[in-house]
């Protein structure tokens, strides 16, 4: 199944079946490495995901069917062809259908669970080893006021800033694996809530407001 690609080579995933295929912790972990520039065998992917090579091969073939990963040229003795990402990055753009919204909810739920676990692990490590440890972490959350054009420009600028670190052909000595998170989203009330309190009218739209006064919030890296 082919996927739409942007001019800079990112894969845009919009099919609900493909989005649901991503909602598995092993697939999320491996895609993060492959789209970060690594080329890995199924055995190496299995170590990343904590699975057996045969189980990992099943997940890789599923991702291959959705046009996200593919086989790379054989290296070494050639007994096991490695896998690579088929794009420079990946973007989720769910279809505005019931199936699309449901698939996006499943995936975002999985990503939220992973983020919570990784932040807790970083917090525990910092607590055990002190703030000046060998694996520094940071988390930033700030309110912004942006026009829609500024929000898109900011997202593109952050993507450009991170690209040299995520697509390295040569990894410097002493480099360690990190997870980076960047979110820019409209500051809307929680689902079911309103700006006017529990008894007030709910005038918020279901999706992002493209008007000039729509504020956004941003969460940084950990």
């Amino acid at each position: 199944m082919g996927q739409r690609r942007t001019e800079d080579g990112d894969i845009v995933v919009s099919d609900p079946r493909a989005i649901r295929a991503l909602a598995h912790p092993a697939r999320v972990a491996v895609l993060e490495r492959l789209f970060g520039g690594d080329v890995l065998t199924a055995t190496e992917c299995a170590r990343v995901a904590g699975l057996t090579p045969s189980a990992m091969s099943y997940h890789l073939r599923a991702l291959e069917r959705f046009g996200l990963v593919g086989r790379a040229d054989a290296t070494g003795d050639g007994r096991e062809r490695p896998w690579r990402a088929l794009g420079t990055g990946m973007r989720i753009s769910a279809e505005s259908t019931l199936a699309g919204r449901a698939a996006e909810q499943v995936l975002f739920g999985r990503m939220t669970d992973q983020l919570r676990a990784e932040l807790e692990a970083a917090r525990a490590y910092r607590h055990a080893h002190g703030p000046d440890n060998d694996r520094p972490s940071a988390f930033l959350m700030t309110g912004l006021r942006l026009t829609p054009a500024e929000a898109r420009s900011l997202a593109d600028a952050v993507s450009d800033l991170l690209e040299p670190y995520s697509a390295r052909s040569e990894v410097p000595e002493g480099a360690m694996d990190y997870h980076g998170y960047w979110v820019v989203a409209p500051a809307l009330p929680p689902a079911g809530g309103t700006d006017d309190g529990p008894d007030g009218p709910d005038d918020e739209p279901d999706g992002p407001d493209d008007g000039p006064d729509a504020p956004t919030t941003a969460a940084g890296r950990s």
Side-chain angles (χ1 to χ4, degrees), residues 43-110:
T43 300
E44 291 170 331
C45 288
R47 295 193 192 103
V48 171
L51 299 177
T52 64
S54 59
M56 193 69 247
S57 293
Y58 166 80
H59 289 296
L60 288 167
R61 289 194 299 270
L63 296 173
E64 183 181 31
R65 287 196 299 272
F66 287 105
L68 301 175
V69 303
R71 294 285 193 169
D73 294 335
T75 57
D77 58 16
R79 288 184 297 178
E80 187 177 5
R81 288 181 61 193
W83 293 83
R84 64 181 179 87
L86 294 181
T88 56
M90 187 170 56
R91 303 181 186 182
I92 305 299
S93 180
E95 298 174 353
S96 297
T97 62
L98 181 60
R101 292 194 296 271
E104 186 179 54
Q105 184 176 10
V106 171
L107 176 59
F108 279 16
R110 175 65 65 188

Side-chain angles (χ1 to χ4, degrees), residues 117-135:
E118 290 173 357
L119 289 177
E120 175 57 27
R123 185 208 63 79
Y125 191 90
R126 180 184 177 90
H127 180 74
H129 299 274
D132 298 324
N133 61 75
D134 61 344
R135 290 179 178 266

Side-chain angles (χ1 to χ4, degrees), residues 106-170:
V106 171
L107 176 59
F108 279 16
R110 175 65 65 188
M111 293 171 64
T112 301
D113 290 343
Q114 179 179 340
L115 172 59
R116 184 182 297 112
E118 290 173 357
L119 289 177
E120 175 57 27
R123 185 208 63 79
Y125 191 90
R126 180 184 177 90
H127 180 74
H129 299 274
D132 298 324
N133 61 75
D134 61 344
R135 290 179 178 266
S137 60
F139 184 76
L140 169 67
M141 185 172 182
T142 183
L144 305 171
R145 285 194 173 273
L146 308 169
T147 65
E150 288 173 332
R152 284 187 284 269
S153 178
L154 178 60
D156 289 341
V158 172
S159 179
D160 291 342
L161 178 65
L162 297 178
E163 184 177 2
Y165 302 99
S166 63
R168 282 178 159 175
S169 57
E170 296 183 5

Side-chain angles (χ1 to χ4, degrees), residues 6 24 137 144 176 209:
T6 64
H24 188 286
S137 60
L144 305 171
M176 298 178 291
D209 182 356

